[in-house]
């Protein structure tokens, strides 16, 4: 019996590692550089704070996003200024995406080698909320900020009423319109209110220019998830069972297939707008519109520099303006978690709640990262959001936060994202299902039925 239990445990560890390795990288939040010291080929880049004083607590942090290292360090310095009796020294290790998540999984399973603090990408998070959860419940440290934070972004890192991850941004899905291209084709983006308006504008644009209006996705589900959530749909039924071939899913994907059939919408290189293959297509005017999470602002500044002053941010279309449907949903994300068994877990939780949720930190989330802060208290600060010296305010044609404030009270999410099936569902959709429909021309229901059967077999 003991050998059988040991065998089951080994199989469980292997299953978790394989699941993490197979999950597609769908929800990246940053990919910029910072000063790091590297120890040998393939080693993680490290950043270590310099903190004066003797009574300083060292906290080890793992991340896969280099830009987070500088942000965390800067905010930890502010924490130390405000809490001189609770000073911390962050030692941050930046690792390759899959390597870090796989290493974390093994550390939690073995009980050895885990950090104090770790960034866990949204698509991976459900894998760490199964069985004996090794992450600290953060409900207590969130309490002072909870009324000011977008609830939907807390929910995606929760299970059974407890919160295990601190969000980095809202990632509200918005529309990015190249106004120069649209105006030349006689299109006013402000008149686009519904998906039918969006589709018709695409047809008009294509007829006038011969170029594509917007993107069909095959390697991500940004627009798909929004359209599905607006209809009240999802990938799981009310009991958490797999249900990807449901009527609402068929309806949404069939509608998008109809968009593609007009000729005005196509699969962008790389399969989605947030991709190094796609950026040049937008930068040179091959496409006029992106439906993306708000954090795409940073990609415009970094990779689509020729569009400065031409792009306006607006609320996304809805199915029916008279219905009470989501105006937006959060897309992507990285949840910062605290390892429950850490010697300094309580202090680490307090520090990271300050770094991720406080108004001071969220101002820097906008100033430095260009993300939409989860603490909406700062959304009303026009000195911050309309600062003429801010690099993002300079780039975009209108004030980015105008659209955020317009949708502020109706930002949702799609289904129970803490369900352990999510990584496999994302992987299936972004490697098989969407390619079958939009690249191979397979019937929508047939493609969904096939993927439903594949996933049911996996979950048996």
């Amino acid at each position: 019996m003991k050998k059988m239990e040991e065998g089951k445990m080994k199989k469980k560890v292997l299953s978790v590692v394989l699941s993490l390795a197979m999950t597609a990288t769908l929800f990246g939040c940053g990919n910029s550089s910072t000063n790091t010291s590297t120890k040998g080929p393939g080693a993680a880049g490290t950043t270590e704070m310099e903190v004066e004083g003797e009574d300083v607590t060292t906290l080890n942090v793992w991340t896969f996003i280099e830009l987070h290292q500088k942000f965390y360090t800067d905010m930890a310095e502010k924490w130390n200024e405000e809490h001189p009796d609770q000073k911390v020294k962050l030692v941050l290790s930046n690792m390759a995406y899959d390597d870090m998540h796989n290493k974390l999984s093994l550390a939690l399973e073995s009980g050895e080698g885990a950090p104090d603090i770790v960034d866990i990408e949204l698509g991976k998070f459900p894998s760490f909320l199964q069985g004996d959860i090794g992450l600290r419940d953060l409900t207590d440290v969130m309490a002072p900020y909870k009324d000011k934070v977008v609830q939907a972004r807390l929910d995606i890192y929760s299970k059974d009423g407890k919160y295990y991850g601190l969000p980095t941004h809202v990632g509200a899905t918005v529309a990015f319109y190249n106004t120069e291209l649209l105006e030349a084709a006689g299109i006013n983006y402000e008149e686009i209110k519904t998906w039918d308006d969006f589709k018709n504008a695409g047809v008009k644009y294509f007829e006038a220019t011969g170029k594509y209006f917007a993107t069909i996705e095959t390697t991500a589900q940004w627009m798909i998830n929004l359209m599905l959530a607006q209809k009240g749909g999802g990938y799981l039924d009310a009991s958490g069972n797999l249900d990807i071939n449901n009527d609402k899913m068929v309806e949404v994907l069939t509608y998008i297939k109809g968009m593609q059939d007009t000729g005005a919408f196509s699969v962008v290189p790389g399969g989605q707008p947030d991709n190094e293959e796609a950026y040049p297509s937008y930068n040179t005017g091959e496409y006029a519109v992106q439906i993306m999470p708000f954090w795409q602002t940073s990609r415009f500044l970094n990779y689509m520099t020729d569009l400065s002053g031409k792009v306006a941010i607006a609320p996304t279309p809805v199915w029916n303006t008279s219905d009470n449907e989501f105006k937006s949903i959060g897309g992507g994300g990285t949840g910062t978690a605290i390892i429950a068994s850490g010697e300094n877990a309580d202090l680490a939780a307090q520090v990271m709640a300050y770094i991720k949720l406080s108004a001071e930190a969220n101002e820097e989330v906008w100033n430095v990262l260009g993300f939409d802060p989860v603490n909406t208290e700062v959304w009303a600060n026009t000195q911050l959001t309309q600062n003429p010296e801010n690099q993002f305010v300079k780039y975009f044609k209108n004030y980015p936060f105008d659209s955020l404030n317009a949708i502020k009270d109706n930002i949702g999410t799609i289904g129970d994202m803490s369900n352990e099936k999510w990584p496999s569902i994302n992987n299936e959709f972004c490697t098989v299902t969407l390619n079958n429909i939009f690249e191979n021309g397979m019937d929508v229901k047939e493609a969904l039925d096939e993927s439903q059967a594949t996933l049911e077999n996996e979950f048996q």
Side-chain angles (χ1 to χ4, degrees):
M1 179 64 71
K2 184 177 180 180
K3 289 184 177 180
M4 183 180 296
E5 292 300 317
E6 290 175 349
K8 288 182 179 179
M9 178 59 71
K10 290 179 180 179
K11 184 176 180 181
K12 179 182 178 183
V13 174
L14 179 60
S15 175
V16 170
V17 173
L18 288 175
S19 175
L20 288 171
M22 289 174 63
T23 303
T25 309
L26 303 178
F27 306 111
C29 299
N31 188 23
S32 300
S33 61
T34 187
N35 292 327
T36 60
S37 59
T38 304
K39 302 177 181 180
T46 60
T47 297
E48 186 171 325
M49 292 178 63
E50 295 182 4
V51 183
E52 296 182 355
E54 296 182 359
D55 189 16
V56 178
T57 302
T58 298
L59 299 174
N60 291 297
V61 184
W62 288 1
T63 183
F64 57 96
I65 304 169
E66 284 184 297
L67 194 58
H68 282 192
Q69 291 181 300
K70 185 178 187 309
F71 176 71
Y72 289 165
T73 299
D74 290 347
M75 291 310 304
E77 290 174 352
K78 291 186 177 183
W79 164 273
N80 288 342
E81 291 173 3
E82 296 181 24
H83 304 82
D85 58 338
Q86 292 181 298
K87 286 187 176 181
V88 296
K89 173 182 177 180
L90 302 186
V91 179
L92 303 108
S93 298
N94 184 64
M95 308 179 195
Y97 175 84
D98 280 321
D99 290 346
M100 193 215 74
H101 289 93
N102 291 342
K103 186 175 180 180
L104 176 64
S105 177
L106 291 173
L108 292 177
E109 289 285 354
S110 66
E112 298 179 356
D116 298 290
I117 302 163
V118 61
D119 280 339
I120 304 177
E121 192 264 333
L122 175 59
K124 305 285 192 182
F125 219 95
S127 298
F128 295 96
L129 297 181
Q130 311 308 316
D132 294 328
I133 300 174
L135 309 180
R136 185 189 185 279
D137 176 10
L138 301 175
T139 306
D140 59 335
V141 295
M142 284 183 178
Y145 311 102
K146 197 168 183 293
D147 291 342
K148 302 171 184 177
V149 175
V150 176
Q151 182 64 39
R153 299 313 280 172
L154 301 179
D155 292 341
I156 59 177
Y157 305 116
S158 69
K159 185 173 184 179
D160 298 331
K162 297 179 179 180
Y163 300 98
Y164 294 96
L166 299 164
T168 304
H169 55 65
V170 178
T173 307
V174 294
F176 295 90
Y177 291 107
N178 185 324
T179 58
E180 182 179 79
L181 295 179
L182 296 182
E183 288 169 3
I187 296 170
N188 180 358
Y189 76 90
E190 293 178 316
E191 295 177 354
I192 299 174
K193 304 297 183 182
T194 68
W195 289 112
D196 283 345
D197 293 339
F198 188 75
K199 182 179 179 180
N200 292 335
V203 172
K204 180 178 178 180
Y205 180 80
F206 183 66
E207 290 175 347
T209 67
K211 292 185 177 181
Y212 298 120
F213 182 69
T215 301
I216 301 295
E217 301 163 335
T218 56
T219 61
Q221 299 139 280
W222 309 119
M223 187 171 75
I224 293 167
N225 283 347
L226 170 64
M227 297 173 80
L228 187 61
Q230 287 175 334
K231 282 189 172 293
Y235 298 80
L236 305 166
D237 65 19
S239 300
N241 299 313
L242 180 70
D243 185 28
I244 65 171
N245 56 352
N246 61 77
D247 291 343
K248 290 178 180 176
M249 180 74 75
V250 173
E251 186 178 353
V252 167
L253 293 181
T254 300
Y255 190 92
I256 297 173
K257 185 68 172 67
M259 287 179 164
Q260 184 183 35
D261 290 343
T262 67
F265 302 79
S266 78
V267 177
V268 73
Q272 58 134 334
D274 182 30
N275 188 290
E276 62 182 10
E277 296 176 62
Y279 303 140
S281 297
Y282 290 101
N283 204 39
T284 57
E286 298 292 322
Y287 292 82
V289 185
Q290 298 184 31
I291 302 293
M292 285 294 295
F294 188 88
W295 46 253
Q296 187 77 345
T297 52
S298 64
R299 308 325 194 242
F300 277 96
L301 263 71
N302 290 333
Y303 306 118
M304 293 167 275
T305 55
D306 290 348
L307 302 184
S308 180
K310 302 176 183 179
V311 178
I313 301 175
T316 59
V318 294
W319 289 104
N320 192 325
T321 56
S322 64
D323 288 344
N324 184 27
E325 59 187 61
F326 291 138
K327 290 191 170 99
S328 182
I329 63 169
T334 298
T336 302
I338 310 300
I339 305 305
S341 60
E343 181 180 354
N344 301 298
D346 290 344
L347 178 59
Q350 294 175 42
V351 172
M352 292 313 297
Y354 170 84
I355 289 177
K356 300 300 287 289
L357 301 182
S358 70
E360 297 92 329
N362 277 251
E363 288 176 3
E364 294 310 298
V365 165
W366 165 242
N367 283 330
V368 177
L369 304 177
F371 297 163
D372 45 348
V374 294
N375 187 329
T376 58
E377 181 181 16
V378 306
W379 292 20
N381 181 358
T382 54
Q383 288 187 327
L384 173 78
T385 63
Q386 298 182 12
N387 176 9
E389 299 305 313
N390 177 278
Q391 59 183 332
F392 301 99
V393 171
K394 287 181 177 179
Y395 182 98
F396 290 98
K397 191 175 179 69
N398 58 349
Y399 290 122
F401 276 79
D402 285 354
S403 293
L404 289 179
N405 281 307
I407 62 178
K408 177 180 176 180
D409 297 326
N410 203 354
I411 300 174
T413 188
I414 183 163
D416 180 8
M417 300 195 77
S418 66
N419 190 289
E420 63 183 337
K421 299 181 179 71
W422 267 103
S424 294
I425 292 171
N426 285 330
N427 185 63
E428 177 70 14
F429 261 72
C430 295
T431 59
V432 179
T433 316
L434 300 181
N435 274 299
N436 278 341
I437 296 169
F438 300 119
E439 293 281 22
N440 302 330
M442 185 181 290
D443 175 76
V444 170
K445 186 64 164 61
E446 181 182 348
L448 290 170
D449 287 344
E450 185 176 290
S451 288
Q452 173 85 11
T454 297
L455 290 168
E456 284 177 348
N457 184 62
E458 177 183 337
F459 297 145
Q460 284 182 352

